[in-house]
Amino acid sequence: MFFKIGNIKIHIEKDYNAMSARAADIFTEAAVKNPSGAYGFATGSTPIGMYNVLVEKYKEGALDFSQLSTFNLDEYYPIKSDNDQCYRCFMEQRLFNLVNLNKSNINLLNGETGDTSRECSAYEEKIHLAGGIVLQILGIGTNGHIGFNEPGDYFSGATGVVNLTKNTIDDNARFFENRDQVPRKALSMGIRTIMSSKEILLLASGKNKSQIISDTLFGRITPQVPASILQVHRHVRVVLDEAAAEGINNRLLT
Ligand code: GLP
């Protein structure tokens, strides 16, 4: 199913695999049109299926990464690069090592840096020099965070250090041996950085995302729901599976 809410284009797909295939098609269309653009990637469990399809498309010859540059949204801080929960490892395992990306075109925030403010401003500069992000992929936290921009009193600006909320630490503890191992901070593209992307593709799957998706699309625009700012972006697509769309259906029916 496809429809629009304001400026936002919404695709609702039957299940996780169909959501992943749709998202991969949208990415491929963009990458074929602009093969040397800068693309923003996200981590989390949601985009894994899409990355699998992108790898398949690459193997079939339908997708060429050789000229693309990539910028990841965020990274835990501090985190060692040999910790298998670091987002660099995630991206290498799921995508970067499986396609023909030029290693020098891969950009991630360094979770081991001793100088976070320099690291973050250099990242902003690199995005700028790459001509800006043409398509940013996003997941969403159950509290509405995008990247690691947590609910707060204002929308963040540039890439910087953020404190993770209890909710996010709880949610992400499933990936670590225990909750104590989850880093308490992260480096993240800011909301302004994300909003500067030409196009945005937000993915969500599962019933536990249905309430926050409904708040994001229909609720008040507020830094308490960071993703709600997407309502004012001109080119956003949201791809959901039916479970994540449940809240939308309830809203449309009432
Ligand atoms: C992490 C990432 C986000 C991601 C979110 C949702 O906190 N920093 O970018 O969107 O998790 O993760 P999942 O897709 O596993 O629900």
Side-chain angles (χ1 to χ4, degrees), residues 43-46 73-74 87 139-141 145 147-148 172 174-175 209:
T43 51
S45 42
T46 310
L73 268 176
D74 50 13
Y87 285 166
I140 186 168
H145 75 214
F148 265 132
N172 290 7
R174 69 188 193 278
F175 298 115
K209 297 286 171 71

Side-chain angles (χ1 to χ4, degrees), residues 98-118:
L98 309 177
V99 297
N100 64 337
L101 265 164
N102 183 336
K103 297 276 179 273
S104 61
N105 290 340
I106 294 175
N107 300 283
L108 288 113
L109 287 153
N110 176 7
E112 291 186 290
T113 183
D115 187 342
T116 52
S117 99
R118 195 170 164 165

Side-chain angles (χ1 to χ4, degrees), residues 133-137 197-201 233 235-237:
I133 290 172
V134 296
L135 177 66
Q136 175 66 56
I137 293 153
S197 312
K198 262 198 204 119
E199 289 188 40
I200 292 178
L201 173 58
H233 193 285
H235 297 290
V236 179
R237 267 176 206 271

Side-chain angles (χ1 to χ4, degrees), residues 16 41-48 73-76 87 90 137-143 145-150 164 168 171-172 174-175 186-188 202-205 208-209:
Y16 179 76
F41 286 117
T43 51
S45 42
T46 310
I48 291 176
L73 268 176
D74 50 13
E75 178 59 283
Y76 289 112
Y87 285 166
F90 176 102
I137 293 153
L138 295 177
I140 186 168
T142 54
N143 62 1
H145 75 214
I146 46 177
F148 265 132
N149 295 287
E150 300 283 37
L164 301 184
T168 296
D171 276 358
N172 290 7
R174 69 188 193 278
F175 298 115
L187 307 177
S188 179
L202 173 77
L203 311 183
S205 157
N208 66 330
K209 297 286 171 71

Side-chain angles (χ1 to χ4, degrees), residues 31-56:
V32 166
K33 223 188 273 170
N34 189 348
S36 56
Y39 290 78
F41 286 117
T43 51
S45 42
T46 310
I48 291 176
M50 181 194 72
Y51 293 143
N52 292 342
V53 181
L54 293 184
V55 171
E56 288 312 311

